[in-house]
């Protein structure tokens, strides 16, 4: 048995019932096979064994009182995975599906994604099984304050800097930051994704969606192609999806679907103009289901399905993990899809990735394609440290160059290790080598 297969077996045994975490580790370890073959020092120093074990995991009780006066108890998590190249960095996810496996897979992925940005940020992730949907502002605030009353002691601007993820937007970050500041009596850059009047960076809200589009354009350019004239399907409707559509439209592409967990809207003319403005308001202000867009503009609504059955040139999953399975992947390829770009974290199952690779379509893995969000988070940290703020144009220019560099790094690493064109392997390898070398330099810690 190879070294990496043996390690994967040990990870599975040591972390039972954590399917998502096994999936994330397995995907990375498989692609590192040629690296450890060429660099036995990574094996001898136990770098891989250390990397798959979080430096620290915190699980805590989050009690709060709902509007009826009833005590509710949720579970809070923060997994501080790796601090070799910078303070732990990664979002908080509030969603009923959150458990240790989900947070660990996200934290593990974050190590490599953050490394790829070229900025000094380690990997971490956290969250809770609390569901902000359907809760009043008061309930969300009381929950966030209780969550922070425990988390504050584990984070700090030079230790661990959380941000948003699913279910955590400007409102939640505001409530958590307010409570942190009150307890610590310090105005410091402990969160990113903050509001623009209190330390947030211009361009952070747009960063993940815009970053995916920049990455995609770079990847297509290398093939002599571009987004212009392409038909694109997008799944999740939210912060990532809406700003992604904005940029794809700007690049001359046509986005024909957008959805949520209940189904999807199909618009053969493309979601643009008034429809996109309406969608932005739906997301930013009203938080209503995606179906509202179909009802307002008389568009087709497909209940209970995902948009991967719609013929497209490019498919961009923007919702959540494992939203494209093997069957959907076959359907995409059969319908002529030439490119899949992952905007959500781990949106394709292992089976789906295999289908994409076997059919040789272009595949942009999440760790590379969606790194724009955390990259601008790191730029927000820099601005906070300087007590200064850059213009939108400055941030956007930096984001574009970061995304171009990520493409270059992933594609060069793939070439160097004999897996040309395999950006999944290239991204994992490039992300890994930087962190592994920092760990080697810092001794067995
Ligand atoms: N949750 C985002 C991600 O998956 C952003 C994290 C951050 O900005 O720290 O990368």
């Amino acid at each position: 048995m190879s070294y990496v297969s043996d390690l994967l077996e040990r990870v599975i045994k040591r972390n039972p019932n954590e399917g998502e975490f096994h999936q994330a580790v397995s995907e990375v370890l498989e692609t590192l096979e040629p690296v450890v073959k060429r660099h036995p020092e990574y094996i001898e120093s136990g770098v891989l064994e250390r990397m798959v074990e979080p430096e620290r995991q915190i699980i805590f009780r989050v009690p709060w009182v709902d509007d009826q006066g009833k005590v509710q108890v949720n579970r809070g998590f923060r997994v501080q995975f790796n601090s070799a190249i910078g303070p732990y960095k990664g979002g908080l996810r509030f969603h009923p599906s959150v458990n240790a496996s989900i947070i660990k897979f996200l934290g593990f992925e974050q190590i490599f994604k953050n490394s790829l940005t070229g900025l000094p940020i380690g990997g971490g992730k956290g969250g809770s099984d609390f569901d902000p949907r359907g809760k009043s502002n008061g309930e969300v605030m009381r929950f966030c304050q209780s969550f922070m009353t425990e988390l504050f002691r584990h984070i700090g601007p030079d230790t661990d800097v959380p941000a948003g993820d699913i279910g955590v937007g400007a409102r939640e970050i505001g409530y958590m930051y307010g409570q942190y500041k009150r307890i610590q009596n310090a105005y410091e850059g402990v969160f990113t994704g903050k509001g623009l009047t209190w330390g947030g960076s211009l361009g952070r809200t747009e960063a993940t969606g815009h970053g995916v589009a920049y990455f995609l354009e770079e990847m297509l350019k290398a093939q002599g192609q571009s987004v212009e004239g392409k038909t694109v399907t997008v799944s999740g409707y939210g912060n990532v999806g809406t700003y992604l559509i904005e940029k794809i439209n700007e690049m001359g592409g046509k986005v024909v679907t957008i959805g949520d967990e209940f189904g999807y809207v199909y618009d053969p003319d493309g979601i643009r103009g008034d429809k996109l403005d309406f969608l932005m308001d739906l997301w930013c202000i009203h938080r209503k289901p995606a179906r509202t867009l179909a009802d307002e503009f008389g568009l087709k609504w497909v209940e209970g399905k995902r948009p991967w059955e719609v013929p497209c040139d490019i498919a961009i999953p923007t919702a959540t993990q494992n939203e494209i399975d093997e069957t959907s992947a076959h359907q995409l390829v059969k319908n002529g899809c030439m490119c899949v770009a992952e905007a959500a974290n781990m949106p394709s199952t292992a089976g789906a990735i295999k289908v994409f690779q076997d059919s040789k379509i272009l595949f942009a893995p999440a760790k590379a394609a969606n790194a724009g969000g955390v990259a601008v988070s790191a730029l927000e940290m820099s601005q906070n440290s300087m007590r200064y703020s850059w213009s939108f144009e400055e941030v956007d220019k930096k984001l574009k160059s970061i995304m171009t560099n990520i493409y270059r790094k992933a594609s060069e690493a793939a070439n160097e290790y004999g897996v040309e064109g395999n950006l999944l392997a290239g991204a994992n390898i490039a992300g890994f080598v930087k962190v592994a070398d920092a760990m080697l330099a810092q001794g067995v810690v």
Side-chain angles (χ1 to χ4, degrees):
M1 189 187 277
S2 77
Y3 169 76
V4 297
S5 323
D6 173 63
L7 177 57
L8 179 62
E9 214 162 78
R10 281 184 279 146
V11 169
I12 294 173
K13 218 164 160 190
R14 190 180 243 180
N15 304 275
N17 308 315
E18 295 187 354
E20 293 85 1
F21 181 54
H22 304 163
Q23 185 183 337
V25 173
S26 153
E27 182 224 283
V28 170
L29 288 184
E30 271 171 28
T31 57
L32 294 182
E33 197 92 61
V35 184
V36 294
K37 225 173 244 161
R38 200 180 294 177
H39 294 281
E41 67 271 23
Y42 292 140
I43 301 183
E44 286 146 21
S45 58
V47 146
L48 279 143
E49 272 95 338
R50 287 187 272 151
M51 227 182 253
V52 295
E53 186 66 22
E55 288 177 20
R56 191 175 296 107
Q57 307 182 58
I58 303 138
I59 302 182
F60 51 99
R61 179 171 70 199
V62 190
W64 56 282
V65 179
D66 68 18
D67 286 346
Q68 281 69 48
K70 195 166 171 287
V71 174
Q72 300 282 347
V73 177
N74 284 98
R75 185 172 283 180
F77 299 86
R78 187 72 185 167
V79 177
Q80 299 179 328
F81 231 113
N82 194 299
S83 62
I85 61 167
Y88 310 107
K89 180 85 197 86
L92 296 170
R93 177 177 291 192
F94 291 171
H95 191 270
S97 65
V98 162
N99 56 33
S101 173
I102 301 267
I103 299 299
K104 277 165 74 178
F105 111 67
L106 290 164
F108 184 71
E109 297 248 311
Q110 205 81 42
I111 304 171
F112 306 93
K113 185 199 302 198
N114 293 4
S115 162
L116 280 170
T117 65
L119 299 165
I121 38 177
K125 201 90 185 190
S128 174
D129 56 2
F130 173 76
D131 190 354
R133 286 173 308 182
K135 304 283 191 304
S136 70
N137 275 333
E139 289 178 322
V140 171
M141 183 176 75
R142 290 194 292 281
F143 171 81
C144 287
Q145 290 176 339
S146 178
F147 185 85
M148 193 44 61
T149 303
E150 172 59 36
L151 190 66
F152 88 94
R153 72 191 82 241
H154 307 290
I155 61 175
D158 298 316
T159 312
D160 184 355
V161 183
D165 196 83
I166 295 173
V168 179
R171 174 182 63 169
E172 289 76 15
I173 290 175
Y175 293 150
M176 286 189 276
Y177 185 67
Q179 182 74 348
Y180 176 89
K181 186 164 64 67
R182 190 175 184 201
I183 298 174
Q184 291 286 39
N185 192 26
Y187 206 103
E188 49 193 15
V190 71
F191 261 96
T192 61
K194 300 186 290 300
L196 294 179
T197 55
W198 43 280
S201 172
L202 283 160
R204 174 62 188 91
T205 317
E206 297 86 348
T208 313
H210 286 186
V212 172
Y214 292 147
F215 187 92
L216 182 63
E217 193 68 321
E218 200 58 31
M219 180 169 77
L220 291 174
K221 198 166 94 189
Q223 309 293 318
Q225 305 226 32
S226 81
V227 170
E228 195 172 357
K230 300 280 191 304
T231 297
V232 183
T233 48
V234 173
S235 53
Y237 134 72
N239 180 255
V240 181
T242 44
Y243 290 104
L244 171 71
I245 299 178
E246 179 182 73
K247 198 47 100 180
I248 296 280
N249 286 346
E250 225 176 82
M251 291 173 166
K254 183 171 77 168
V255 177
V256 295
T257 65
I258 191 74
D260 56 20
E261 72 262 48
F262 307 113
Y264 70 89
V265 180
Y266 176 54
D267 178 7
D269 297 330
I271 301 166
R272 57 179 75 251
D274 287 355
K275 292 177 278 188
L276 182 58
D277 291 345
F278 186 85
L279 190 69
M280 291 256 178
D281 282 352
L282 259 195
W283 163 246
C284 299
I285 306 167
H286 311 296
R287 302 265 160 142
K288 288 210 183 123
R291 192 192 173 126
T292 321
L293 176 73
D295 293 344
E296 177 74 17
F297 291 91
L299 305 172
K300 184 173 168 191
W301 171 253
V302 183
E303 180 77 24
K305 292 247 184 102
R306 293 196 170 123
W308 316 128
E309 58 189 15
V310 174
C312 65
D313 301 308
I314 302 170
I316 313 185
T318 54
T320 195
Q321 65 272 357
N322 295 328
E323 58 173 303
I324 303 186
D325 60 11
E326 209 176 315
T327 313
S328 303
H330 278 299
Q331 203 162 11
L332 280 166
V333 173
K334 200 179 98 219
N335 284 342
C337 172
M338 48 85 74
C339 172
V340 173
E342 295 189 318
N345 290 316
M346 206 168 77
S348 316
T349 63
I353 293 177
K354 184 151 189 328
V355 172
F356 299 143
Q357 287 177 335
D358 289 349
S359 58
K360 303 223 168 352
I361 67 167
L362 295 172
F363 181 70
K367 292 185 202 80
N370 79 18
V374 77
V376 174
S377 274
L379 300 181
E380 183 171 326
M381 289 165 72
S382 306
Q383 294 168 79
N384 290 166
S385 297
M386 289 189 288
R387 302 204 188 282
Y388 188 69
S389 44
W390 291 320
S391 67
F392 180 87
E393 289 70 28
E394 278 172 287
V395 174
D396 186 51
K397 203 166 139 216
K398 287 182 168 59
L399 170 65
K400 210 180 236 172
S401 110
I402 290 167
M403 297 315 294
T404 310
N405 279 330
I406 294 177
Y407 173 75
R408 199 171 307 141
K409 277 183 226 169
S411 120
E412 281 170 8
N415 290 348
E416 194 183 331
Y417 283 92
V419 281
E420 201 174 322
N422 183 344
L423 292 180
L424 175 76
N428 288 344
I429 294 169
F432 167 80
V433 168
K434 182 179 175 190
V435 178
D437 289 347
M439 290 173 75
L440 281 186
Q442 291 168 23
V444 180
V445 287

